[in-house]
């Protein structure tokens, strides 16, 4: 049996309510994971630090996606800048470029000039890497920023 999504259906209202509310549970998990990783970073051997910083950057950026998709741009910026800090500690230019591109995306609506600067910096970092999807995503973000 499938749910009916007619104009006045309870299933439709429940689905709409879900997308209106921020996914607090997912955000809480991201926060918890980052607290755990921050604790591990205090004691992890140096040879594991880079990898752990990369994981932290990806988790923090996931938090940024969740916040942005929920309409909480302030939290998205906090998570994204935190992700960049982790990526810089990992000395991973590809990860840094991806996060700068995402930061440009978050700021596009509120500050097009900053968005253009961030996407240009992401492109500069990506030039060190072999061509791939990241280059295409950054080019798209640069074009979007230029159009604003």
């Amino acid at each position: 049996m499938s749910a009916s999504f007619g104009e006045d259906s309870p299933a439709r209202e429940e689905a709409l309510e879900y997308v209106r509310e921020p996914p607090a549970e997912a955000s809480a998990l991201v926060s918890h994971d980052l607290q755990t990783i921050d604790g591990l970073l205090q004691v992890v051997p140096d040879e594991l630090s880079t990898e752990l910083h990369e994981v932290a950057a990806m988790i923090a950026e996931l938090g940024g996606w969740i916040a942005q998709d929920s309409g909480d741009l302030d939290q998205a910026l906090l998570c994204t800048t935190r992700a960049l800090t982790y990526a810089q500690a990992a000395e991973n230019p590809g990860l840094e470029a991806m996060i700068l591109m995402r930061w440009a995306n978050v700021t596009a609506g509120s500050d097009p000039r900053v968005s253009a600067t961030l996407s240009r910096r992401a492109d500069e970092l990506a030039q060190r890497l072999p061509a791939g999807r990241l280059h295409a995503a950054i080019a798209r973000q640069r074009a979007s920023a230029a159009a604003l």
Side-chain angles (χ1 to χ4, degrees):
M1 176 183 278
S2 64
S4 170
F5 286 99
E7 195 65 31
D8 297 322
S9 78
R12 180 177 186 273
E13 283 305 310
E14 185 178 323
L16 287 174
E17 187 60 32
Y18 175 77
V19 296
R20 283 186 205 119
E21 294 295 319
E25 187 172 330
S27 293
L29 290 172
V30 166
S31 180
H32 181 267
D33 287 350
L34 288 174
Q35 287 176 350
T36 301
I37 289 171
D38 284 339
L40 289 171
L41 284 168
Q42 300 299 315
V43 297
V44 71
D46 287 342
E47 60 270 11
L48 298 176
S49 177
T50 297
E51 188 174 358
L52 196 54
H53 276 97
E54 288 175 347
V55 170
M58 290 183 276
I59 291 171
E61 186 48 37
L62 173 62
W65 274 100
I66 292 167
Q68 185 180 12
D69 286 351
S70 300
D72 188 348
L73 297 184
D74 291 336
Q75 183 64 28
L77 287 172
L78 286 172
C79 289
T80 303
T81 55
R82 187 174 183 187
L84 183 61
T85 301
Y86 288 125
Q88 289 170 331
E91 299 179 352
N92 182 328
L95 190 54
E96 284 184 60
M98 186 275 297
I99 292 168
L100 284 168
M101 183 267 307
R102 286 280 308 125
W103 190 357
N105 180 273
V106 173
T107 61
S110 61
D111 197 338
R113 293 179 85 186
V114 168
S115 180
T117 300
L118 291 168
S119 58
R120 185 184 79 252
R121 180 67 182 126
D123 191 38
E124 291 168 0
L125 281 169
Q127 295 308 313
R128 303 179 193 171
L129 308 169
R133 289 185 205 172
L134 178 60
H135 290 87
I138 292 170
R140 181 179 165 276
Q141 184 57 48
R142 286 195 75 181
S144 294
L148 296 174

